[in-house]
Amino acid sequence: MVGLTESNRSAAAQARAYAEAILLVAASTIMGLLLAPRWGNSAVDLLYLPAVLAAGVLGGFGPALLAALASALAYNFFFTAPHMTFRIDSANDIVTVVVLFAAAALTSQLASSIRKQARLAEAHAARNATIAGLARRLLTCTSDKEIADVATRELAMIFDCNALLVENGREPRVLSSAPGQMGLGPSDFAAAALTLDVGERAGRA
């Protein structure tokens, strides 16, 4: 159930990123239409690069690549003769559209790489903070029971799972469990006994 919820959230976030990429290109197109009558079409293509860069930073490579393609098509449709069509009569305009797409695609890749590196740095920082916090809490423990309680609570929180510590022996018993965690049934105890005996995975998970 948790995995399904996370998948739905991820799909919704990805769909939102693609929608935001299209909106950014639309905003750049509107700005171009407002500026072109006064300053011409020569610099309009540059208006699309910030949109592609923003799409890459906010949504990743896929939305940024969509923004690059949409930028090239929008520029072709609105700013190259004949207007309001995807036909291009001028060789210069063909080169402009191709260069715009290539530059936008490269920009999208760079922006996506920056976003990926930022996420990795954030993940490393969060992991280090978690390790430091766990070590600090373990240092304050004065008994095996307190160590077990801290360990199960932290594991349950980090992995969002049902964490219990089972004591070794012919008849395993739960030594510690995180608050609100589910108990073990007979089959779970049997799997725990097998794991403790042979040192390998056993049971449903």
Side-chain angles (χ1 to χ4, degrees), residues 80-169:
T80 62
H83 297 93
M84 303 303 172
T85 70
F86 290 109
R87 194 175 81 249
I88 305 177
D89 292 341
S90 171
N92 290 334
D93 288 338
I94 294 176
V95 172
T96 301
V97 171
V98 171
V99 170
L100 171 61
F101 177 75
L106 178 61
T107 301
S108 69
Q109 186 173 7
L110 293 175
S112 176
S113 177
I114 292 172
R115 182 173 182 264
K116 186 181 297 183
Q117 292 299 324
R119 282 191 166 184
L120 285 175
E122 184 180 349
H124 288 320
R127 184 183 63 184
N128 292 338
T130 300
I131 293 173
L134 176 59
R136 185 173 60 253
R137 281 184 284 275
L138 288 174
L139 287 173
T140 62
C141 297
T142 58
S143 66
D144 293 343
K145 183 65 168 63
E146 289 184 7
I147 293 174
D149 290 341
V150 169
T152 53
R153 184 170 62 249
E154 291 297 318
L155 288 172
M157 181 180 64
I158 293 172
F159 295 104
D160 191 21
C161 65
N162 185 33
L164 302 95
L165 180 62
V166 181
E167 189 177 28
N168 199 355

Side-chain angles (χ1 to χ4, degrees), residues 21-86:
I22 294 298
L23 290 176
L24 288 169
V25 173
S28 298
T29 302
I30 292 173
M31 290 181 61
L33 291 172
L34 294 175
L35 296 176
R38 178 174 296 183
W39 288 292
N41 297 339
S42 58
V44 170
D45 54 344
L46 297 178
L47 294 175
Y48 290 104
L49 295 182
V52 176
L53 182 63
V57 172
L58 296 175
F61 181 70
L65 191 60
L66 174 64
L69 178 60
S71 297
L73 292 176
Y75 182 80
N76 178 18
F77 189 81
F78 291 103
F79 301 105
T80 62
H83 297 93
M84 303 303 172
T85 70
F86 290 109

